Amino acid sequence: MRYTRLGKTELQVSVLALGTWPFGGEWGSFDEEEARGAIRHALDRGVTLFDTAQGYGFGVSERLLGAALWEHVKREQVIVATKGGLRMDGDTVVRDSSAGWLRQGVESSLRNLGTDYIDIYQLHWPDPNHAIEETAGELEEMVREGKIRHVGVSNFSPEQMDALARYGRVETDQPPYHMFRREIQADVLPYCAEHDIGVLAYGPLAHGLLSGRMREDTTFPTDDWRSKSSDFTGETFKRNLEVARGLQEYAERRGITLPQLAVAWVISHPAVHVAIVGARRASQLDSTLPAAEIELTEADRAEIDQILAGAAPVVGPSPEGM
């Protein structure tokens, strides 16, 4: 495993983080013991950064992560990042970054994780319905209280990060970034590099498109968000699977797997500090964690761009589509 400084936070973290969205239930059912095994395996392989969210099962993922971590490590040995600013309104997930809900969310996350502080607390999605001054002010207050150590965002544009930064700190950003979704190269990544914001990219395997296991007849359980996504049906799905086959051939010529190529590509961008990889079981991490040691040059990225020329844009998940 390699380690890096996470932007202005000055935290030293592994370049690959374990993401625990699969443990929230939105990707279909999972075995809790296997999930705990994946967390243990990540620790054994040198992963020190673990990412979760209040919205991943609204407590389910956080509780599982906390219980598994503290069986094996001391609190100061790992960096725990979580996210808030989403809540359930009946059967609908809505954005809510009001001061009251953020504080309630932080207190809930602390209890669920079994800790008295959160290393990185991130706003999960931009919220246009509450004043950014209110949001920033509450986050700053919780930093002063020691409940939060660093403040970050997720899925924010440069303009939205700039607005928050007028009233408080923005130390990390968690954007979607993978071979089928590269628009942040034009604006988000340059902004983060200019402001020394630590970038934790999520979805490096394009939510499974780059796993090497999908086929045109692949289907998903009804409780898996991908079953409702246009990214995984019709012509978009077909085109991207064809591109994925070309990428797999490129990876095989280098003696690596497609998932390793996908993850290595994400962390090869100079503005990206960390790629977040998910796994439902320990064995799945063996196909991604070796990517920490794979180096891709600008020439490699240019060749990969040629293969990606035929790719269809991937929209990805959003709270309203869950």
Side-chain angles (χ1 to χ4, degrees):
M1 183 57 61
R2 288 192 293 115
Y3 301 89
T4 188
R5 179 183 69 89
L6 187 59
K8 65 180 72 174
T9 70
E10 298 291 338
L11 295 170
Q12 291 294 316
V13 299
S14 51
V15 296
L16 300 185
L18 180 64
T20 63
W21 188 12
F23 308 154
E26 292 86 1
W27 294 74
S29 60
F30 66 96
D31 182 277
E32 185 170 326
E33 275 309 304
E34 288 187 339
R36 287 171 175 262
I39 294 168
R40 290 193 299 270
H41 193 52
L43 288 167
D44 291 342
R45 294 290 298 270
V47 173
T48 59
L49 176 57
F50 295 81
D51 181 76
T52 186
Q54 179 188 21
Y56 297 166
F58 288 90
V60 175
S61 174
E62 289 179 326
R63 285 191 294 271
L64 193 155
L65 176 63
L69 283 177
W70 315 139
E71 287 181 358
H72 301 282
V73 294
K74 296 179 180 179
R75 179 64 184 88
E76 64 272 14
Q77 292 178 293
V78 292
I79 305 299
V80 176
T82 192
K83 296 177 283 292
L86 297 180
R87 62 176 173 82
M88 294 300 298
D89 182 7
D91 294 331
T92 305
V93 180
V94 298
R95 308 180 190 205
D96 187 347
S97 293
S98 63
W101 180 249
L102 284 179
R103 178 166 289 274
Q104 187 176 333
V106 167
E107 297 289 356
S108 175
S109 291
L110 290 169
R111 289 192 301 271
N112 289 330
L113 288 164
T115 183
D116 57 3
Y117 67 91
I118 295 164
D119 295 289
I120 308 169
Y121 193 77
Q122 305 153 102
L123 296 174
H124 207 150
W125 286 83
D127 174 13
N129 299 315
H130 294 92
I132 201 72
E133 306 95 301
E134 175 188 350
T135 298
E138 190 63 24
L139 291 170
E140 290 299 311
E141 180 60 29
M142 289 189 283
V143 170
R144 287 191 288 271
E145 294 170 4
K147 299 178 187 296
I148 299 170
R149 294 199 168 176
H150 301 282
V151 173
V153 297
S154 182
N155 303 297
F156 272 51
S157 68
E159 293 76 19
Q160 290 162 335
M161 284 188 275
D162 221 33
L164 183 64
R166 294 191 197 108
Y167 302 99
R169 67 195 75 198
V170 179
E171 298 170 283
T172 66
D173 178 36
Q174 188 177 138
Y177 186 48
H178 51 74
M179 291 181 180
F180 293 116
R181 193 169 184 184
R182 293 167 283 164
E183 67 267 22
I184 66 167
Q185 293 177 167
D187 53 2
V188 170
L189 292 181
Y191 178 90
C192 290
E194 180 184 353
H195 294 86
D196 197 21
I197 292 172
V199 175
L200 303 85
Y202 75 83
L205 298 189
H207 314 300
L209 282 168
L210 295 169
S211 67
R213 297 190 301 271
M214 287 191 180
R215 302 293 181 265
E216 289 181 19
D217 59 353
T218 296
T219 58
F220 305 93
T222 56
D223 57 353
D224 186 319
W225 69 270
R226 292 172 294 183
S227 67
K228 309 174 190 70
S229 171
S230 60
D231 295 329
F232 293 90
T233 58
E235 187 59 29
T236 294
F237 190 42
K238 182 178 179 181
R239 280 177 59 186
N240 286 341
L241 286 178
E242 182 62 31
V243 172
R245 283 189 281 271
L247 292 167
Q248 184 153 4
E249 291 171 3
Y250 178 86
E252 289 171 354
R253 290 197 297 273
R254 289 191 58 123
I256 59 177
T257 67
L258 176 58
Q260 289 164 6
L261 175 68
V263 175
W265 181 88
V266 169
I267 56 176
S268 71
H269 193 289
V272 174
H273 299 81
V274 173
I276 301 173
V277 298
R280 300 189 199 206
R281 61 190 68 89
S283 60
Q284 291 176 331
L285 289 173
D286 292 330
S287 68
T288 53
L289 293 186
E293 306 300 331
I294 297 170
E295 293 188 11
L296 296 179
T297 65
E298 280 301 313
D300 293 327
R301 289 180 67 95
E303 190 172 349
I304 290 167
D305 281 346
Q306 292 179 349
I307 301 172
L308 291 170
V314 166
V315 177
S318 69
E320 294 78 13
M322 299 304 295

